[in-house]
Amino acid sequence: MSIQMSMEKKTAPVNQAIGKKTVPTFYFIGVTTGQSAMVKIFPQWMEALGRPEIILEGYDCKIHDEPARYQQIVASLKQDPMALGALITTHKLDLLAATRDQFDYLDPYAELCNEISCIAKHENRLEGYAVDPIADGRALQSMIGDNHFKRTGGGVLCLGAGGAATALTLYLINRPNPADRPKYFTLIDVEQTRLDHVREMVNKVGTTIHFEYICNADPAQNDQTVASLTNGSVVINATGLGKDLPGSPLTENVRFPKFGVVWELNYRGERPFLQQALAQQKQRKLTVEDGWGCFLHGWTGVLARVLDIKIEGSLFNHLSKIAAELR
């Protein structure tokens, strides 16, 4: 069965699709999975990993879908002997909230963040992992290098307080070298419950970083917060706006901090936030990146868990090269 055939069935009721595979299947749970670069990349990666028999099956769910939808998907994955596991985007918090009792094991990051980005099956056990604190952290570190916050005195502003923001928060808190931790970290979200979730996690683990939580849906007010940042600060779009939903959390009048790092976590879509940053890149001397690094580290991190292999060093570089050629 080809990857195209598998992805074409992504909108079928899950109980009609999962459970009838005759080959090992890796599942992809998202919003618009058929538009992902992974549709083309996955078969080539499986060839490179010596597992060409594994196919990819995508399932689209609505943002904040009904709990029953998530429960049905996870139950079917658990029962299907050909299902190897799954990568989850967008639904990391909602899926675990709806299905926690269906898992035999959750890793410490999943327990702490109350989210999962990876489902793996080992010895008839259904296991959930939060891979993003490591994957997103590696992507960030590759952008800013060592001692960034000591060198620049900059802080972090994360627009959006969902799964990606939670992962990055935990990563920065756990950086062993104080020079790699910002003095302040501001999170902005349209939903107070998501901010409260991050606040609860931060209070649980403890940190010297000063956190501020702002509930706001007005892009013009977000502009003002960006304008208050010190030079060298990191500004992150973790809202999903520009991919899953249209728009940007900022207006065209935004002024990014000089020598700042602007990170659009989406790697596809219209991404107006990215265009706003690129328009100021030369004048404000900005480092501007999209979410391609997160994409690579996230997928390889999940596949390593599901297939029980190490993907690092030269193997990671090889898979990255394959992905870049097919992007």
Side-chain angles (χ1 to χ4, degrees):
M1 184 179 294
S2 70
I3 185 68
Q4 289 80 11
M5 291 174 61
S6 179
M7 294 299 293
E8 287 172 0
K9 296 193 292 184
K10 65 181 182 298
T11 57
V14 74
N15 60 351
Q16 293 181 14
I18 297 179
K20 293 190 176 182
K21 294 289 180 295
T22 58
V23 293
T25 305
F26 180 88
Y27 289 91
F28 176 18
I29 303 166
V31 178
T32 54
T33 55
Q35 298 175 27
S36 172
M38 192 50 63
V39 175
K40 294 180 180 178
I41 295 169
F42 191 86
Q44 301 300 318
W45 274 12
M46 291 302 102
E47 289 281 353
L49 294 174
R51 299 296 303 273
E53 74 280 7
I54 300 175
I55 65 167
L56 181 69
E57 179 84 32
Y59 280 96
D60 290 350
C61 298
K62 295 181 295 183
I63 297 175
H64 305 309
D65 212 331
E66 296 295 325
R69 170 66 168 163
Y70 299 126
Q71 292 162 4
Q72 185 183 33
I73 291 174
V74 173
S76 298
L77 281 168
K78 191 170 186 176
Q79 295 164 10
D80 180 6
M82 301 308 292
L84 302 177
L87 177 140
I88 305 154
T89 64
T90 306
H91 311 285
K92 302 167 190 175
L93 291 164
D94 293 331
L95 185 142
L96 182 58
T99 65
R100 182 182 288 267
D101 62 348
Q102 294 175 254
F103 285 88
D104 301 298
Y105 170 80
L106 296 174
D107 84 319
Y109 279 145
E111 293 279 14
L112 185 60
C113 300
N114 287 314
E115 67 167 59
I116 55 171
S117 53
C118 169
I119 299 175
K121 293 173 68 177
H122 294 128
E123 298 179 354
N124 297 320
R125 286 162 46 90
L126 196 69
E127 302 174 353
Y129 297 89
V131 173
D132 291 352
I134 296 173
D136 292 359
R138 286 174 176 170
L140 175 61
Q141 200 62 32
S142 70
M143 275 185 269
I144 64 175
D146 294 334
N147 306 319
H148 172 84
F149 297 108
K150 182 178 181 180
R151 288 198 320 267
T152 67
V156 176
L157 170 61
C158 189
L159 297 152
T166 304
L168 289 167
T169 297
L170 192 57
Y171 173 78
L172 289 172
I173 287 174
N174 287 334
R175 295 295 288 158
N177 185 352
D180 291 323
R181 299 194 296 264
K183 290 184 177 179
Y184 64 91
F185 191 133
T186 302
L187 293 112
I188 301 177
D189 202 280
V190 300
E191 291 190 17
Q192 185 64 48
T193 54
R194 288 202 285 262
L195 292 165
D196 291 342
H197 165 71
V198 179
R199 188 201 307 267
E200 180 182 355
M201 184 199 70
V202 169
N203 290 340
K204 185 181 296 185
V205 299
T207 182
T208 58
I209 301 172
H210 174 73
F211 277 86
E212 184 177 5
Y213 309 89
I214 301 173
C215 187
N216 174 59
D218 180 7
Q221 186 175 326
N222 291 341
D223 288 354
Q224 295 176 18
T225 305
V226 173
S228 71
L229 297 171
T230 56
N231 289 345
S233 290
V234 179
V235 184
I236 304 166
N237 177 26
T239 65
L241 290 176
K243 181 177 82 72
D244 296 331
L245 295 170
S248 167
L250 305 173
T251 78
E252 295 303 316
N253 296 321
V254 67
R255 185 175 174 84
F256 290 101
K258 200 169 185 180
F259 307 112
V261 177
V262 185
W263 191 14
E264 164 63 80
L265 291 190
N266 299 317
Y267 78 90
R268 60 184 174 92
E270 295 183 358
R271 299 176 295 172
F273 175 92
L274 182 68
Q275 302 308 317
Q276 290 166 339
L278 289 173
Q280 298 181 35
Q281 185 173 25
K282 184 175 180 180
Q283 178 189 17
R284 305 294 293 166
K285 302 185 186 307
L286 304 174
T287 298
V288 182
E289 299 284 350
D290 70 1
W292 186 247
C294 275
F295 173 82
L296 293 175
H297 284 288
W299 272 92
T300 54
V302 171
L303 286 171
R305 283 287 186 187
V306 171
L307 301 180
D308 198 21
I309 58 175
K310 288 186 177 181
I311 302 179
E312 54 191 28
S314 60
L315 180 55
F316 175 82
N317 293 337
H318 179 53
L319 296 181
S320 298
K321 182 179 179 181
I322 291 172
E325 292 171 350
L326 296 171
R327 184 178 182 184

